[in-house]
Amino acid sequence: MIENKKIIVALGGNAILSDDPTAGAQIEAIRQTCDRLADLVEHHNQLIISHGNGPQVGNLLLQQQLADSEKNPALPLDTCVAMTEGSIGYWMQNEMSSILKKRNIDKSVVSLVTRVEVDKDDPAFTHPTKPIGPFLTEVEVAEAKEDGAKYIEDSGRGYRKVVPSPKPVGIVEFDTVKQLVENDVITISCGGGGIPVLKTEDGYTGVEAVIDKDFASEKLAEQVNADLFIILTGVDNVYINFNKPNQKKLEEVSVEELKQYIGEGQFEPGSMLPKIEAAVKFVETSDHGKAIITSLSNLDNIHQGAGTVVVKHKNNNEKVESLNVEMHESLITSE
C-alpha cells in the first residue's frame, strides 16, 4: 500500500447512489467506500476526499419542482448543490469516523461546504452538457414539460437533463483545506464539484450550474500540492477502442500519449473524457505528482501499478526496452 503521501481521491456520485435511492442504501454504499479509503489512512497518508453528486442533485431538483408553490418556492441549482454536498459529506463523515474508531485510528474527519469560483463568460453557460438526475425514457422526457430544459442520451442508459458545467477557476476554501490536511485532519471537500460562485466586488454570489467533480478535484489537488490524484470510476482501467475487437487497456501512460488519444476522440465526452483531462492537467502542473484512474475494488492494488497510471514521461527502462526491440527487429530485417 502507498504510504506517507498527500492524496486526493475523487469519487463518482454513482458510486454513492445504487439502484435504491433511499438514504439508508446510500449510507451503506458510502460505508463500504470509506472502509476501502480507511486503508490509505492506516498507511499514514494525508487524505482529501471529493465526491460527485449528479444523481443526488438531480433527484433533489425533481423534489423541488414537485413541491414548488408560492408559499414553498423551489430553490435554485447552486443551493441544491450545497444541500447535497452537505448531506453526502455528513454521511461520509459519520461512516469514516466510525470505521477509524473500529480500527483504533485517532483522527478527525470534517466535511467542508466548498465554494468554487467560475468565470461568468465561460461558454458552458450557453452550452449545457453536464448530466444530472435519474435516467428517463423518451416518453418521460416528453412528459417532463420543463421550460428551457435540455436532455441528452447518456451512454445508452436513457436520457438525462443537462445543465451548464463551467470549468473551475479556483477553490475558494483551498487554504482552509490545506491547513486541515497539514493538521492531519481527513477532509471531505469539493463535494459535487463544489458550489459554483462568481466573484463580485462584495465577495461571491452563487450561479446555477454544476461543476464537474474531476475538474474541481484536480484544481484542489494543484492548490494543495498533492502527491497523488486518484479518480475512482466504474472500471479498473481506461481503454482505447473501447468495446471494439481491438480494444486496449491502458496501464502506465504518458501525458503525450493521452493527448494523442484525446485528439483521436477515444474518450466519451461527459464520461471518461473529463477524467482523462483532469488527470493530464494535474500531472502537467505538478512537480512530482501522478494520477491514477481505476475502480474502488482495485484500490488495494495501486501500489503494484494497478489501474491506469498517468505520468509525465514513461520511465527510462521502458524506453530502453522499446529501443532494444526496435534494434532487434531492425537486425532481423537487415539479415
Side-chain angles (χ1 to χ4, degrees):
M1 179 63 73
I2 291 170
E3 295 186 341
N4 301 308
K5 301 292 184 184
K6 187 187 297 181
I7 302 174
I8 289 189
V9 178
L11 304 168
N14 289 302
I16 300 164
L17 179 62
S18 62
D19 293 335
D20 182 351
T22 62
Q26 292 185 73
I27 291 169
E28 174 57 25
I30 287 171
R31 187 197 66 75
Q32 294 177 24
T33 297
C34 287
D35 196 42
R36 292 295 186 100
L37 296 181
D39 293 341
L40 294 172
V41 180
E42 204 159 23
H43 285 79
H44 312 292
N45 294 293
Q46 295 175 309
L47 182 62
I48 303 168
I49 305 168
S50 65
H51 60 81
N53 72 339
Q56 293 83 1
V57 76
N59 288 346
L60 180 57
L61 278 173
L62 287 177
Q63 293 169 10
Q64 292 289 317
Q65 290 161 10
L66 290 171
D68 187 26
S69 67
E70 186 176 343
K71 291 186 177 180
N72 186 30
L75 295 172
L77 179 54
D78 59 310
T79 301
C80 290
V81 171
M83 291 167 72
T84 53
E85 183 178 13
S87 60
I88 295 170
Y90 155 64
W91 292 336
M92 198 167 287
Q93 189 174 345
N94 263 358
E95 297 310 308
M96 182 61 83
S97 296
S98 297
I99 289 164
L100 294 179
K101 186 176 181 180
K102 288 177 183 175
R103 297 192 187 194
N104 295 314
I105 300 173
D106 184 19
K107 281 196 178 184
S108 298
V109 186
V110 65
S111 53
L112 185 67
V113 174
T114 316
R115 295 168 294 172
V116 178
E117 184 184 349
V118 297
D119 184 349
K120 65 180 178 61
D121 296 321
D122 192 305
F125 286 114
T126 55
H127 297 88
T129 58
K130 179 67 176 174
I132 62 171
F135 292 93
L136 304 176
T137 65
E138 286 188 75
V139 173
E140 288 171 324
V141 169
E143 292 174 348
K145 295 179 181 177
E146 189 180 346
D147 291 340
K150 179 182 176 182
Y151 291 83
I152 63 167
E153 199 281 327
D154 186 359
S155 306
R157 295 174 290 178
Y159 292 83
R160 295 177 78 189
K161 181 179 177 179
V162 288
V163 297
S165 184
K167 294 287 178 66
V169 173
I171 312 301
V172 178
E173 282 78 21
F174 91 89
D175 198 47
T176 302
V177 175
K178 196 171 183 180
Q179 290 177 49
L180 287 166
V181 174
E182 285 171 354
N183 284 280
D184 215 19
V185 176
I186 298 167
T187 308
I188 303 160
S189 179
C190 287
I195 305 159
V197 295
L198 299 175
K199 196 168 187 177
T200 68
E201 291 182 0
D202 301 319
Y204 295 94
T205 184
V207 61
E208 291 223 1
V210 172
I211 300 168
D212 187 281
K213 70 99 177 40
D214 296 314
F215 290 134
S217 303
E218 186 283 324
K219 181 59 67 174
L220 182 61
E222 276 186 48
Q223 292 186 284
V224 302
N225 195 29
D227 300 306
L228 180 60
F229 178 32
I230 302 175
I231 301 174
L232 295 182
T233 185
V235 292
D236 289 348
N237 289 77
V238 178
Y239 287 79
I240 56 170
N241 303 317
F242 186 60
N243 274 341
K244 296 178 181 178
N246 62 335
Q247 77 171 15
K248 177 185 174 184
K249 178 169 68 174
L250 299 182
E251 296 175 313
E252 184 176 88
V253 59
S254 71
V255 165
E256 183 181 357
E257 289 174 300
L258 283 177
K259 284 185 174 181
Q260 179 183 329
Y261 295 142
I262 290 171
E264 294 171 1
Q266 288 282 358
F267 310 117
E268 188 72 24
S271 179
M272 186 57 74
L273 181 59
K275 294 172 175 53
I276 298 292
E277 291 177 330
V280 165
K281 190 168 187 293
F282 173 69
V283 173
E284 278 189 317
T285 56
S286 173
D287 292 332
H288 56 275
K290 67 179 179 180
I292 300 174
I293 303 173
T294 192
S295 64
L296 178 65
S297 60
N298 211 25
L299 190 62
D300 294 344
N301 302 314
I302 59 174
H303 66 291
Q304 298 173 333
T308 295
V309 182
V310 183
V311 295
K312 276 188 181 175
H313 308 286
K314 289 283 190 74
N315 64 59
N316 290 329
N317 289 338
E318 282 198 7
K319 290 180 180 178
V320 170
E321 184 179 341
S322 175
L323 182 61
N324 287 340
V325 169
E326 289 177 9
M327 290 176 65
H328 179 66
E329 289 176 348
S330 177
L331 286 170
I332 292 173
T333 304
S334 63
E335 288 174 357

